[in-house]
Each structure stands twice: as structure tokens, then as C-alpha cells.
Amino acid sequence: MVNFVFFVSSVSGNLRAKKVFGVIFSCFLFLASGNSQFGVRTAYTSQQFPNWSNALNSKDKLFGFGVEAGVNYWFSLKKKRIEFYPELTISRSFGNPKPGWQKAAFTTGMMGIQTQIYALDLGSDCDCPTFSKQGPSINKGLFFLFTVAGGKFTGEIEELRGTQSQEYKTDGWVYRAGLGLGLDIGFSDLVTLTPHVTYVYYSGMDWRGLSGEDLLVTDHPRQVQAGVRVSFRPDYGRRRR
């Protein structure tokens, strides 16, 4: 949860980010009042923007690290252990500024869905938290994941040149897809902790004028996420009572 606290403080000064975060928080409150499984997720991200970095003649890792947070809902197939998590997310990435850089940030707000396939327990008819199922925990908890999402992105760089500042900005639509691995760890019938690692590939994103000239630079960033999701099942707790 340390990443989540750092994430909230980092985006607090950005109006667009605050609006998106407000939507996510409202969705979390709505899900919390319902009778289904819902969850919150936070992740540390590491990414590369090779074309944009080259356009800036930067040897540093542009927007090289960041954090992502989101809320999700859960549903699954009836007789196979394939689960689906529709999700709203917001992310904020930062760079290692060159001398003279005042600001370098990359923000996304996205809607997507994560599919989890429990290959070692695929035939199980599961409508219960991981903690309550029988069998070896690695079999019932390990899963492969596939994620797709789409939304808006914003890139911002501010460079100080003497007493003058130069701003570079871009925004647009972007899509992403990722593959990964995770493990459900059930603490009780109500709460499950899920660490995961995901490799993500983004569609092309354009930035005009980044090199100081009126040229369009397109990049396809690649990202690694290491995160954790906390899932809640109030509906299951009520049934047991």
C-alpha cells in the first residue's frame, strides 16, 4: 500500500489526474456497497520510451518508473476456473530529468479487463474464495493472466533554458495488451491478496515537436508491472452467515 499512498500524493497537483482518480474512488465506493466481489490494485511500473528518448537526445530513461492504481469487479465462468476483472485504472510515470528539466510526467486513464486462467485447477467448479477451496494452494491459486485496456494518455515535459521555460505536451488515445503470472493468497473467506507480474505492450503514441522541430515522433512503449490486488467477497461472507 506504500505505492498507493505515493501515487495519490504524486497526482494531487494534476487536475486531469484528480478527476480520473475521483471517478475511480467513486466506483470503489459503489462496489463496496454491493453484494459481489470487488478489489483495489496498485503496481510499480518500469517502462521504456526509446523513440521519444532519442528525439530528446536523452541517455536517461524517459518516464522510466511510475505507479498505477485501479478498482475492479469480478465475475467468472460457471464450471471452469476462468475469471474476469473489468477495471478502471490511472497511472503516473516519471523520468530521470536531464539538467534543466523542471517536469517530466506521463499519465494514463484507462478502462480494461483482465482474464485469469487457473491452468492447474481449470476443471474446478469454484464459486468461493481461494482460502476455502481444497487441494494444494499452488494448484488452486496460480494463474496466467491476459489483460487488454484502452484510454487517454498525456505526456508533459518542461525544460528550463536560461530564464525561459519550454513546454512539450502531447495527448491522445492509446491501447495496451499484456501477459503475466499471479498467485491468489487467501487470508479469509472475505479477503484475498494477489501479487502479480505483467509484461505490457502499448499501441503507437504520437508526439509532435518533441525534438524541437515540427516532426511527429511515434513510440510503442514496453512496460513491466509488479503489483498486488486486494479482493473482497462480502457476498460470500453473508451466505456463510
Side-chain angles (χ1 to χ4, degrees):
M1 300 304 291
V2 174
N3 282 347
F4 186 77
V5 173
F6 172 72
F7 171 79
V8 173
S9 63
S10 299
V11 303
S12 60
N14 184 285
L15 182 59
R16 292 183 182 178
K18 286 196 292 184
K19 288 181 179 179
V20 177
F21 184 78
V23 171
I24 291 177
F25 186 71
S26 298
C27 291
F28 172 75
L29 294 179
F30 172 77
L31 292 173
S33 64
N35 294 319
S36 58
Q37 175 169 306
F38 62 94
V40 294
R41 184 177 67 87
T42 180
Y44 175 84
T45 66
S46 176
Q47 49 272 325
Q48 297 180 10
F49 293 80
N51 295 342
W52 289 356
S53 295
N54 290 338
L56 289 168
N57 294 318
S58 173
K59 297 181 180 179
D60 299 306
K61 199 173 181 181
L62 181 66
F63 309 137
F65 69 95
V67 284
E68 179 169 289
V71 294
N72 55 72
Y73 179 82
W74 168 90
F75 66 93
S76 66
L77 298 182
K78 289 291 185 180
K79 296 184 179 181
K80 296 292 183 181
R81 287 211 63 207
I82 300 178
E83 301 181 353
F84 306 94
Y85 292 82
E87 186 176 53
L88 289 172
T89 63
I90 182 172
S91 68
R92 182 82 160 169
S93 301
F94 307 90
N96 296 322
K98 297 191 300 182
W101 285 21
Q102 301 300 299
K103 178 173 63 177
F106 178 81
T107 305
T108 65
M110 292 192 153
M111 177 180 295
I113 186 168
Q114 177 174 300
T115 301
Q116 297 182 180
I117 302 174
Y118 294 80
L120 301 181
D121 196 32
L122 189 61
S124 173
D125 183 7
C126 176
D127 186 29
C128 54
T130 301
F131 184 84
S132 300
K133 295 194 295 295
Q134 302 298 316
S137 59
I138 190 68
N139 290 354
K140 64 188 179 183
L142 185 69
F143 61 84
F144 299 98
L145 68 88
F146 174 69
T147 179
V148 292
K152 291 281 289 185
F153 75 90
T154 301
E156 303 172 89
I157 295 175
E158 184 177 347
E159 183 180 9
L160 185 62
R161 295 180 176 179
T163 59
Q164 302 294 322
S165 63
Q166 175 70 44
E167 289 189 343
Y168 306 90
K169 292 185 178 181
T170 188
D171 61 71
W173 293 95
V174 66
Y175 306 93
R176 72 183 187 186
L179 295 171
L181 192 68
L183 179 67
D184 287 337
I185 304 172
F187 284 97
S188 70
D189 291 338
L190 302 180
V191 179
T192 300
L193 188 70
T194 305
H196 62 85
V197 177
T198 312
Y199 180 83
V200 182
Y201 183 81
Y202 284 77
S203 63
M205 291 182 284
D206 296 331
W207 198 327
R208 183 175 295 278
L210 183 60
S211 62
E213 301 176 3
D214 190 26
L215 298 176
L216 192 66
V217 181
T218 302
D219 215 335
H220 298 262
R222 300 171 295 279
Q223 182 184 77
V224 176
Q225 293 190 2
V228 62
R229 182 178 68 236
V230 182
S231 300
F232 305 91
R233 283 291 300 268
D235 62 322
Y236 191 77
R238 294 188 185 99
R239 290 203 303 268
R240 287 179 63 88
R241 290 196 296 269

